[in-house]
Structure formats: structure tokens, C-alpha cells
Amino acid sequence: MTFSLTVRDHLMIAHSLSGDVFGPAQQLHGATYLVDATFRAEELDPHGIVVDIGRAGDALREIVGALTYRNLDDEPDLAGVNTTTERLCQIIGDRLAARVHDGGLGDARLSGIVVTLHESHVAWASYEVSL
Amino acid sequence: MTFSLTVRDHLMIAHSLSGDVFGPAQQLHGATYLVDATFRAEELDPHGIVVDIGRAGDALREIVGALTYRNLDDEPDLAGVNTTTERLCQIIGDRLAARVHDGGLGDARLSGIVVTLHESHVAWASYEVSL
Amino acid sequence: MTFSLTVRDHLMIAHSLSGDVFGPAQQLHGATYLVDATFRAEELDPHGIVVDIGRAGDALREIVGALTYRNLDDEPDLAGVNTTTERLCQIIGDRLAARVHDGGLGDARLSGIVVTLHESHVAWASYEVSL
Amino acid sequence: MTFSLTVRDHLMIAHSLSGDVFGPAQQLHGATYLVDATFRAEELDPHGIVVDIGRAGDALREIVGALTYRNLDDEPDLAGVNTTTERLCQIIGDRLAARVHDGGLGDARLSGIVVTLHESHVAWASYEVSL
Amino acid sequence: MTFSLTVRDHLMIAHSLSGDVFGPAQQLHGATYLVDATFRAEELDPHGIVVDIGRAGDALREIVGALTYRNLDDEPDLAGVNTTTERLCQIIGDRLAARVHDGGLGDARLSGIVVTLHESHVAWASYEVSL
Amino acid sequence: MTFSLTVRDHLMIAHSLSGDVFGPAQQLHGATYLVDATFRAEELDPHGIVVDIGRAGDALREIVGALTYRNLDDEPDLAGVNTTTERLCQIIGDRLAARVHDGGLGDARLSGIVVTLHESHVAWASYEVSL
């Protein structure tokens, strides 16, 4: 028995990718990512929820807000990181996991987080981590 | 190796939620939920299906139909239940599971059910149960 | 030559509808509406936009926020109004038009507004008004 | 009586926008745009179509392909242009209209073109031009 | 001032298309079409609606139901018709218009009908007729 | 920790299904399937990706291209197969898995594949296989 709650937001960034495999995406370009953050729990809390949807949305917005409208090639804490869609899923997912550990999402006993970034109507990537 | 079949329907209800965590949703308001019911099986039956899609859709429609166009605060069998999106997923999922156990979905050897309720374009919840 | 900009939000309300034509929707129930507000202009302003998307989104959120998490049957300014999806489109569209006339959306020379409310994945309504 | 045919593609670009009204979007950032190109005709051709869908899709892909994976701030033919979503709709729409005039979409007697760019799940813009 | 109401259904057919322009679609193949039927009116009726959504949905389902699960190449009343997406929009739209004229959609003073068929996630066609 | 990458394509086929359970779908009819192919990996490769998205998309297009615009009832390698949505998921999934084993998707250490076929806006099926 597993429950989950998902909230959606989006971010818009510029970046370039290193490696011949990326073809024209090695040039500086950009993307809008639809971001879905899923919180999982084996049982509901006494209010009947996985996590407070307001807090979940705020946490996602704050993490996404620290990345949006930026050129990721210039972000000091992403230096040397190839900011592929998969990697951005992990960055956002790990930041959400840290927020859970710090109590920023309340007392919810969460068992996992999944972050999905849709880079277009025909491609998306996902990162799943246990808590 | 896992197969699944999903059918979609929707329901429209009024309700209120108990607990400060719900903020303005403590007031009587309402929601349209897109409801996705997923049936899982480890193998296909001799016809090459997980479950008869007609029966699956009818079962979902009947269960959803017993809830729709209601004020859930007034439903006797939901008395004392905080009808959060997560809880509604569970209610629908457990009713579908009971239907499977009663043979209402045929002889399909189903291994699990997942029910997802989309409460808006930016939030959804899910409940997964093994059979 | 016509340009437009659309912003999306959503609202969740309870209500009942008067008239046999509404069948079970005569009972108190609820709905989530996806709300799309489209602003039209015959030409772009000097910045190359129809209207400031931030202002457009804020105006929509404020108007939608005055309706959401309510039981519309109890709203004094909707007394005697059958709050059908079509009528809610008009209410929101007219409030947006008033906002434009009051200068709340800047100096944009807008020629029209369209409001669409999606009440489910299989039904939506729309209201279009010239400015 | 009006017929239309729409094809969808997408593009990913980096750019920055000039003007205080754009807030943080004045920084170099990026976007994925879903691009919908609609071709209109008052009547169908002898094959029963508005325009050859293959040609329509190829024309859109070629025009979009000349923009994608670029930093629009560095494109010589966009120098001095604020590449807002509305303006990008116009650029793509006018290029499609030129293609129609040059016969690149066959003999179709088209009456208009509409180009819509979705910049996220909550915002899109559109440009409509008569032919 | 224009109001509209849209209902969605779908149909699944086999067919082949005549003419070199269709390439491999000259072979017998098939399609699922998402069908959106939009009803337009200049004003709402006394109940505050464009048309009874139940009647609208039933009319669409009946018209779509007479086409679905068929090989259109074998349908006597479509003999000699190239059943392109555009043409299918017209066929469904004209049948809906006839239904309106026969009073099958009630007393609604409708001003127009639009039928849109989505043939995939990247292509759709539309037919609009005044009443 | 699991990563995934998904690419989307579509196919259009004619077919008929054997067995009373299929009702009118026993007649020759057709369908457009939205096809989502998900590739899973426990860790990212040195470029920070699950698999080269270009190769993934090409592999899916090639496999889907061998099926599209056909009457599946006439395909020799599908003789005797009930081409249900579930079975088509498996056929496509197994062909993708073979491609992975043959090195056609590069050196990626993939752990699983999921193929989902959407047959309409209200029904879809899925097949998941470990690698």
C-alpha cells in the first residue's frame, strides 16, 4: 500500500551541454521544464494526507525559483555539471529530500520522492530516490 | 514483466476538510477529479488482455457514479472521514479491489490496482494496493 | 492580424444548479475549473507584448481567488444566478474586462478577452467579449 | 464554413528580454516552446484536405529548425528584436506565410495562418494572419 | 459576445486514402480520433447555458457511434469519399447541424458549430459552420 | 535510486480482435496509439544521461515505423496474435529490449524498459520488462 502526492511547477533556463553526443545542444540554448514532484508514503497522516500540499508546493517553488531565469552555465554550484534533464531531476530531487530531512515538509513519514522534468511534449526524464 | 491497463473517468463533489492545515479548504467547496484506475497483471489472459476494458470502465463508472454530484460531508458511509484527495483514491481503489475479489472483473489474475485522482492541472494524488 | 496571450489558473467551488435540465447537478456538488484567460490585441506594444504576463496572471489569480474555496450558493453577489460553467466564464470575463478598463492591466490596447473554463477532461465552455 | 489543419512541433532557445516589465526574464535564460501552426481554408482541395500534412509539417520543422538550439540574442536577423513569445509567434507565422506565397505548400488556397507558442503549462501566445 | 460549450468523445476507424499525396496512408490503416464538438450561441438560454450538456454529449456519441469500429472504406454512405481528417470533421459537423435543425438539441438558439478531430498528439483538423 | 528517460511517438494501424469479449472491436477498425518508451537505469553515464535521446527516439521511430500505416491482420509476423493494446506494448517493448541487447542504444547500462500505448484520452496500457 503506497500513497503519493504530486505537485507541478515549471522552470525556464539557459544552458549548454558538453559532449559530442549532444549535437546542436552543445550550443547555448534553453528549455522550459515542467517539473512534477511526487512525495510517497506508506500510510497517511492523521489528517488523511501524504504531506501538506501547500508546503509541498512552496518547497518545490522555492527550489525551482533558485534555478529559473538563469544561465546554468554560470551558476557556481553547478560548475562542471552537465545539466542534462536527468541531472536536473536529481538536483531538484536531492534538494527536496534535504528539505524533508530538515523538517521543512512537516512530520510526514515520507518513503520516497520522484522528480520528473518534461522537456517537451515528446520527451521527459525522471529521478526516484528513497528516503 | 508487468502489464497494466488504465481507464479514465471523472467525478464532481462538494466537501470540506477538517484541520488547520487545510486553510481555506476547511470551507465547503468542491472539486472535479479526473480518476485514473490502473489494473496490473504479471501476464496477459488468453485473449491477450489484462482485463476486459468494458468491464473495467463500467466498474469504475459505477463506483465513481455512487460518489459524484454529492456533498461528501453528508454521505453516511463517509461520516468522520476527511475526504482528502489521497483518501478518495483509497476509497475508490479499495472498492475496485473488492470488485475484483467478487469476480466482477472476470477471471483476470490481477496483481495490483493504482488509483490516481487529479484535482487540478498542478496537483494529483495516488493510491496503490496489491491484490 | 491578431495577437493573443493566455494565462491559466484554476478554482475549486461548491454549488448547485436550478432546473430539471441539470439532473443530479441540482444537488449540492462541486467542481475544479481550469481557467484560461486570453487577452487579444491587434498589435503589440513597444515591448513586443500583448500585455504584461505578470499583471495578467495576477489579475486572473485575484479574480479567481475571490471565488475559490467557496460555496457559490451562499455568495451574496451571485444570489439568484445559476452558476453554470458558461455563466462563470462570463463573470470572470467581465471582471477581467473591468480590470482592463480601470487600467489595472497597464496601457495595453486590448481588443478582446476570452475566458474558457474546463470542467473536466471531456467538457469546457467559453465566453468571448470585445473591449 | 472554414476548415483548418494544425501541426505541432517544438523549439528550444536561449534569449533575454529588454525592459523592466520582464523582471528576472531580463537575464539570459531559455525556453522550450510547443509550436502549433494552423492552416485555414474556406474549402477543401480535390483530395479532401486543407494542405498536405507532410508538407505542412516539413515547412514548420524547417522554420523551427532554423531557430532551435540557438541563443536568439546572437542571431543577426533578430538583432534589436525583443524575442517575446508573441513576437516569436509572428516571426514563425510570417515565415510560414512567405512559404505559402512561394508555393512551398502546394496549390492550396489558404485563407489564413495561426501560430501558437506554449511557453509552459500555464501560458501561451498566438498570432493570426490572413493570407 | 459569444458563448460556447464543447464536449469531447472519440472514435476508432479503419480506412485508406486515395491519392499519391497520402503516401503510405494509401494503405489500409486506422486511427483513433479525439472529437471535440463546440456549440456556439450569442446569448445564454434562461437556464444560463448554451445547450444541455447531456443532450450535446448524447448527440455526439450517437453520431460518433455510427462511425466507430468500422472500416470506412466499406461504408455505403461514404462511398467515393476520401475520409481525410478534415472531411470527417465536416461529416460529423454537418450531422450535428442537422440534429440542431431537427430540434434534437432543444430550443437553443445556436449560431455555429465547430468540430475538431485530433488524429495524434501532433496533428488535428477542424471544421466550422454557421447555423 | 532510479533514473529514466522517456520519448514519445505515435502509430496508426488497422486491425480486428478475436473473441466475444471485444464486442464491436471484432470488426476491422483502427487506432492511433501514442507510444511512450521509457528507459531505466540505476545510474547515469559519464555524460549525465540514461541513454542518448537521439538514439532512443530513432530506435522507437524505426520500430514504430515498421508497424504504422498497416493492417495488422495481414502482417505475417503477427499471424495468430491478438493485437490488443497490451500485446502491442509488449511487441514494441521486446523489440526495444532486443535493440538494447544488440548495442543499438550504445553502452548504456539500462535496467528496464516500459512501453505505454495510449489508445484514446480515456484508456491506455503498459508493459514493463527488466533488462
Side-chain angles (χ1 to χ4, degrees), chain B residues 53-66:
Chain B
I53 192 173
R55 280 192 174 194
D58 289 349
L60 182 60
R61 181 156 309 171
E62 200 178 314
I63 289 167
V64 158

Side-chain angles (χ1 to χ4, degrees), chain B residues 1-2 4 6 8 47-48 50, chain F residues 82 84 86 122-126 128:
Chain B
M1 201 161 81
T2 310
S4 72
T6 302
R8 171 167 283 186
H47 289 102
V50 168
Chain F
N82 230 6
T84 59
E86 290 93 326
V122 291
W124 53 97
S126 204
E128 180 176 347

Side-chain angles (χ1 to χ4, degrees), chain D residues 101-125:
Chain D
H101 286 129
D102 293 351
L105 283 161
D107 302 327
R109 273 168 303 182
L110 300 172
S111 57
I113 284 176
V114 187
V115 171
T116 301
L117 267 72
H118 303 258
E119 69 175 69
S120 75
H121 63 309
V122 293
W124 52 97

Side-chain angles (χ1 to χ4, degrees), chain B residues 29-50:
Chain B
H29 66 285
T32 309
Y33 298 103
L34 271 191
V35 187
D36 296 335
T38 298
F39 300 88
R40 288 190 175 150
E42 302 312 305
E43 51 183 49
L44 297 183
D45 80 1
H47 289 102
I49 59 176
V50 168

Side-chain angles (χ1 to χ4, degrees), chain E residues 72-95:
Chain E
L72 299 187
D73 295 355
D74 293 341
E75 290 296 296
D77 55 341
L78 298 176
V81 175
N82 230 6
T83 54
T84 59
T85 309
E86 291 93 325
R87 195 62 84 193
L88 288 171
C89 287
Q90 187 181 28
I91 290 167
I92 294 171
D94 286 346
R95 291 182 183 182

Side-chain angles (χ1 to χ4, degrees), chain C residues 48-77:
Chain C
I49 59 175
V50 168
V51 63
D52 175 1
I53 192 172
R55 280 191 174 195
D58 288 349
L60 181 61
R61 181 156 308 173
E62 200 178 315
I63 288 167
V64 158
L67 292 168
T68 202
Y69 290 123
R70 307 290 177 87
N71 178 355
L72 299 187
D73 294 356
D74 293 343
E75 290 296 296
D77 56 341

Side-chain angles (χ1 to χ4, degrees), chain B:
Chain B
M1 201 161 81
T2 310
F3 293 91
S4 72
L5 177 81
T6 302
V7 289
R8 171 167 283 186
D9 211 318
H10 73 282
L11 82 161
M12 304 173 86
I13 55 89
H15 67 162
S16 61
L17 298 171
S18 287
D20 287 350
V21 67
F22 297 108
Q26 294 175 88
Q27 299 166 153
L28 182 67
H29 66 285
T32 309
Y33 298 103
L34 271 191
V35 187
D36 296 335
T38 298
F39 300 88
R40 288 190 175 150
E42 302 312 305
E43 51 183 49
L44 297 183
D45 80 1
H47 289 102
I49 59 176
V50 168
V51 64
D52 175 2
I53 192 173
R55 280 192 174 194
D58 289 349
L60 182 60
R61 181 156 309 171
E62 200 178 314
I63 289 167
V64 158
L67 292 168
T68 202
Y69 291 124
R70 308 288 178 88
N71 178 354
L72 299 186
D73 294 356
D74 294 342
E75 290 295 296
D77 55 341
L78 298 176
V81 175
N82 230 5
T83 54
T84 59
T85 309
E86 291 92 325
R87 194 62 85 193
L88 288 172
C89 287
Q90 187 180 30
I91 290 167
I92 293 171
D94 286 347
R95 291 181 183 183
L96 281 169
R99 204 60 73 92
V100 171
H101 287 128
D102 292 351
L105 283 161
D107 302 327
R109 273 168 304 181
L110 300 172
S111 56
I113 284 176
V114 186
V115 171
T116 301
L117 266 71
H118 303 257
E119 68 177 70
S120 76
H121 63 309
V122 292
W124 53 96
S126 204
Y127 166 74
E128 180 176 346
V129 63
S130 297
L131 290 177

Side-chain angles (χ1 to χ4, degrees), chain C residues 30-100:
Chain C
T32 309
Y33 298 102
L34 272 192
V35 187
D36 296 335
T38 298
F39 300 88
R40 288 191 175 148
E42 301 312 305
E43 52 184 48
L44 297 182
D45 80 359
H47 290 103
I49 59 175
V50 168
V51 63
D52 175 1
I53 192 172
R55 280 191 174 195
D58 288 349
L60 181 61
R61 181 156 308 173
E62 200 178 315
I63 288 167
V64 158
L67 292 168
T68 202
Y69 290 123
R70 307 290 177 87
N71 178 355
L72 299 187
D73 294 356
D74 293 343
E75 290 296 296
D77 56 341
L78 297 176
V81 176
N82 229 7
T83 55
T84 59
T85 309
E86 292 93 325
R87 194 64 84 193
L88 288 172
C89 287
Q90 187 181 29
I91 290 167
I92 293 171
D94 287 346
R95 290 180 184 182
L96 282 169
R99 205 59 74 92
V100 171

